[in-house]
Structures are given as C-alpha cells and as structure tokens.
Amino acid sequence: MASNIGMMDSAYFVGRNEILTWINARLQLNLSRVEEAASGAVQCQMMDMTHPGVVPIHKVNFDAKTEYDMIQNYKVLQDVFNKLKIDKHVEVNRLVKGRPLDNLEFLQWLKRYCDSVNGGIMNENYNPVERRCKGGKERNIKGSQKISKSLQTNNSFSSFPGDGIGNNKISGIKQGKLAAVAGSVNSSVEIQALTKEITDLKLSVDLLEKERDFYFAKLRDIEILCQTPELENIPMAVAVKMILYAADEKESVLVEAQEIVSQSVDTREPDYSDDDHQILTNNA
C-alpha cells in the first residue's frame, strides 16, 4: 500500500495549507508551517492514531528541540514502519534540518498513507491531547504562548518645598516615558519593515509553488504517455521512466538511461526500401 506511493502520485500535489489543516484538525494543534513538524512527534502521533497500540508513545518526545532528540523520535517512527512492514525509508538527516520542502513531501506521503487505511476514517475515540500527555514530554508544537507580565513599581514621593531629590525623581520618570515613546516608534518602524519582508517572501513562495506545480504537471503527462500500452516497452519510454522513478540523486541514472537508448539504436535492423533491396541484389 505505502510502497505504491510514487513521486508522481497525486499525493505530492496536495498543498501545504491542506496538509496543515489536516494535521491541526486531527491532532488538535495549531501549526502554521510544515517545518514545525520537523521533530517527528507529529508523524509518530499520526501513526498512533492510525494504528492504535503500535506506537510506544511514551518514547516520543513532544518537546524535542535538539537534533539528537528529534532523531530519537524518528527512530521510533522507523521502528513502527518496520513493525507494520511499511516500505518507507525516513530521510532523518534532511527532515531534522527543518527544510520546508523535505518536510512537506514527507507529510504529503504520510497523509496519503493514513487516508488509505480504513478509508481515512478518523478514530473518534482517540484523544490526541491525552495521548501527548502520556508521551515523554508534551510539547505545544505551535510554540509556547509568551505571557508578558508588566511590573508596576509604586514610588511614593515626599515632596517638600525646596526638596531637590523629589524633583529629580519626577524628572527621571518623564525622561523614562519619553524614551519609552521613542522606543515604541522604532519598534513600529521595524514591525512595518518585517511585515513587508514577510509579504514579499509569501509572494515568492506562491510563485515558486506555481512553477513547481507547472513542471510537476508536465512530468505527470510524460509519465502517463510512457505508460500507454503501445509505448511502455520501447527503450525510450523505459529510459524516461527510469529517470522519473529514480529514488536517489545519482548521475548514473542518466548514464544507464542513455545506454538503454544507445543499445536499442545499435541493435536495430537497417530499414531498406525496395530500391535498396534491388541494388543490393544486383550487386550480389
């Protein structure tokens, strides 16, 4: 089931917003970016929901922040895959780096797998929050909400005629307020600059996603063409599919594909016309 999910499968056309909505709804989380699932805890709990009792949830660290802790979570996940005989290798070194594309592709695969089990029907008796409490540490994967506490200092001033100390304290308070106002203005300028930068980055991401979807669609069309009964066994189609389905980034794949095409050209019989046959007969 899982081994049939290839790189050109429709699962890898699912957008990040749909992936995040799926995770947040099932696990009662509030993720806003796919790389927030880089610790492996989300993947472990998804498998725990899909296959109750298979995942040793007490070994999952929901508060994993270091690469070492994250790797331990992925070891738990790989053990679960092996136990369920799921032919899926986890690229731990890439995932723990928190790169968006790597984590998105893995979550796309995970969604497709979970949807294929029991028709994707959600276990209504599963309490994700309670299960996280049974883990090593519960982690607010969205990030802890920072509660700012303002310290109020009550200064009592004894102001007497000619008391220079009281006047100095009042002057110091006024200067402090002016500094706070100036700091607030600078913060507003920084916030506006960061907001503009975020907007520009979002536009760049949208353009990149559109470009990715365009080329993925082209590759999908090529794959469908190469799978047609009339063409799927010819050397050129075999070579193209070899490149499409290559799991590793190896230069030898292109070399092997070129060799298949070259061998087919070398072994092909010459196509002589009737006139050519007559010339050959006369020469003989």
Side-chain angles (χ1 to χ4, degrees), residues 76-256:
V76 173
L77 184 64
Q78 189 68 70
D79 289 341
V80 171
F81 285 172
N82 295 339
K83 188 184 300 183
L84 296 172
K85 296 182 179 180
I86 298 174
D87 185 16
K88 176 64 176 177
H89 176 67
V90 182
E91 297 287 350
V92 179
N93 293 333
R94 293 186 179 184
L95 296 173
V96 296
K97 299 299 182 183
R99 293 187 295 189
L101 184 57
D102 292 329
N103 281 273
L104 175 62
E105 288 181 353
F106 188 67
L107 291 173
Q108 287 170 330
W109 176 91
L110 183 66
K111 183 179 187 303
R112 176 59 182 272
Y113 173 80
C114 293
D115 288 346
S116 68
V117 178
N118 297 326
I121 299 175
M122 188 174 177
N123 185 357
E124 296 180 356
N125 297 323
Y126 187 85
N127 188 330
V129 177
E130 182 180 348
R131 289 294 289 171
R132 285 198 292 275
C133 290
K134 294 181 180 180
K137 290 183 180 179
E138 180 174 7
R139 173 193 177 197
N140 184 358
I141 304 175
K142 169 61 183 172
S144 58
Q145 297 179 349
K146 298 180 180 179
I147 303 174
S148 59
K149 297 180 180 180
S150 60
L151 300 176
Q152 297 180 350
T153 306
N154 297 324
N155 296 321
S156 56
F157 300 97
S158 298
S159 179
F160 296 99
D163 187 357
I165 297 176
N167 291 334
N168 288 337
K169 288 184 178 179
I170 294 172
S171 177
I173 292 173
K174 289 181 178 179
Q175 290 178 359
K177 288 183 178 180
L178 290 173
V181 171
S184 177
V185 172
N186 291 334
S187 297
S188 299
V189 173
E190 291 179 1
I191 290 172
Q192 290 178 358
L194 291 172
T195 302
K196 183 179 182 302
E197 184 177 354
I198 291 172
T199 302
D200 293 339
L201 288 173
K202 286 183 177 179
L203 290 174
S204 298
V205 169
D206 290 339
L207 290 174
L208 289 173
E209 286 184 343
K210 289 180 180 178
E211 185 177 359
R212 179 203 64 187
D213 294 342
F214 173 80
Y215 287 110
F216 263 65
K218 293 292 184 185
L219 290 172
R220 178 59 178 160
D221 291 341
I222 294 172
E223 182 188 34
I224 293 173
L225 180 64
C226 291
Q227 289 176 343
T228 55
E230 298 83 1
L231 301 176
E232 62 178 349
N233 293 322
I234 67 173
M236 181 61 73
V238 173
V240 171
K241 287 189 290 185
M242 179 182 294
I243 295 174
L244 286 176
Y245 298 148
D248 300 327
E249 298 176 358
K250 300 188 302 182
E251 295 182 359
S252 60
V253 174
L254 178 58
V255 175
E256 292 174 6

